[in-house]
Amino acid sequence: SNYAAYDGGAIMCSDSSPTITKNRIKANSAELGGGGISLFHYCFPVIVNNFIFQNDAAYGGGVECFWSDPVMSFNTILDNTATQSGGGLYFDYNSICTLTNNILWGCTAPQGSAMSVLGFSDTDVSYCNVQGGQAACHVDATSTQNWAQGMLDAQPYFQDPANEDYHISITSPCMDGGTDDVTVTEDFEGD
């Protein structure tokens, strides 16, 4: 945590297909895009079981995706900031993303506080809890966003956010609100 870069504050991927899993990506910044993670040019990563929080950039405070096709599931994307577009997530230039079982909460940006989908990009979003719902997502005329089943816009009720415990509490509407994924057998801490 606490890194600064021009693009990709903590993680910068280009022409690669990594699995990014079980990380706490916190308080990083990028001058241009991807305060937490930047995916630039032909990236096909799997991003699963991460906490991506308190990062900032001009585009994609949490994650920036440019001409790449990530699969993102079981991530908590929280309190990220973009000064231009895509507080939590930013997709541009022919990016295709599948988002399942994620929480996007507390992110801010002048355009698309939760996410921005631009430049002939396409997102399929299901079983996610997105603060502000579809109204918090900016989708330009060239792009599409499939808002599928299981979507929530409800306080996630984290265990103890003051002490950075972002596990959901037993009273959270996210508890048992996702879809089964047999490829994921344990959480961030191995439980």
Side-chain angles (χ1 to χ4, degrees):
S1 66
N2 297 311
Y3 292 101
Y6 180 73
D7 210 9
I11 298 172
M12 171 65 177
C13 299
S14 181
D15 298 293
S16 60
S17 301
T19 296
I20 301 171
T21 186
K22 299 182 181 179
N23 296 286
R24 290 177 60 89
I25 301 169
K26 175 191 175 191
N28 303 287
S29 62
E31 187 177 331
L32 183 60
I37 301 171
S38 179
L39 308 170
F40 184 81
H41 195 262
Y42 291 119
C43 291
F44 302 92
V46 174
I47 302 172
V48 61
N49 250 340
N50 298 283
F51 288 103
I52 304 168
F53 62 111
Q54 299 172 7
N55 301 288
D56 64 85
Y59 300 92
V63 179
E64 168 203 40
C65 184
F66 187 84
W67 204 350
S68 295
D69 301 347
V71 173
M72 299 180 68
S73 57
F74 299 99
N75 299 289
T76 299
I77 302 163
L78 177 70
D79 294 337
N80 297 287
T81 303
T83 58
Q84 298 294 316
S85 187
L89 304 171
Y90 179 83
F91 304 99
D92 201 354
Y93 203 72
N94 296 306
S95 292
I96 299 171
C97 183
T98 301
L99 295 142
T100 308
N101 296 324
N102 297 285
I103 298 173
L104 281 87
W105 206 261
C107 297
T108 59
Q111 180 183 64
S113 59
M115 74 178 82
S116 289
V117 185
L118 310 168
F120 300 96
S121 295
D122 182 24
T123 56
D124 287 318
V125 188
S126 62
Y127 295 99
C128 293
N129 188 6
V130 179
Q131 184 177 21
Q134 282 185 286
C137 301
H138 173 73
V139 182
D140 75 7
T142 68
S143 302
T144 59
Q145 183 174 61
N146 178 24
W147 203 258
Q149 61 189 358
M151 296 302 295
L152 296 172
D153 174 10
Q155 174 62 247
Y157 294 111
F158 296 115
Q159 290 280 352
D160 187 4
N163 291 307
E164 296 182 0
D165 181 354
Y166 297 115
H167 293 89
I168 55 173
S169 70
I170 197 162
T171 60
S172 174
C174 299
M175 184 66 69
D176 297 323
T179 185
D180 288 334
D181 185 337
V182 295
T183 63
V184 177
T185 58
E186 57 186 40
D187 70 7
F188 176 81
E189 294 166 327
D191 296 329

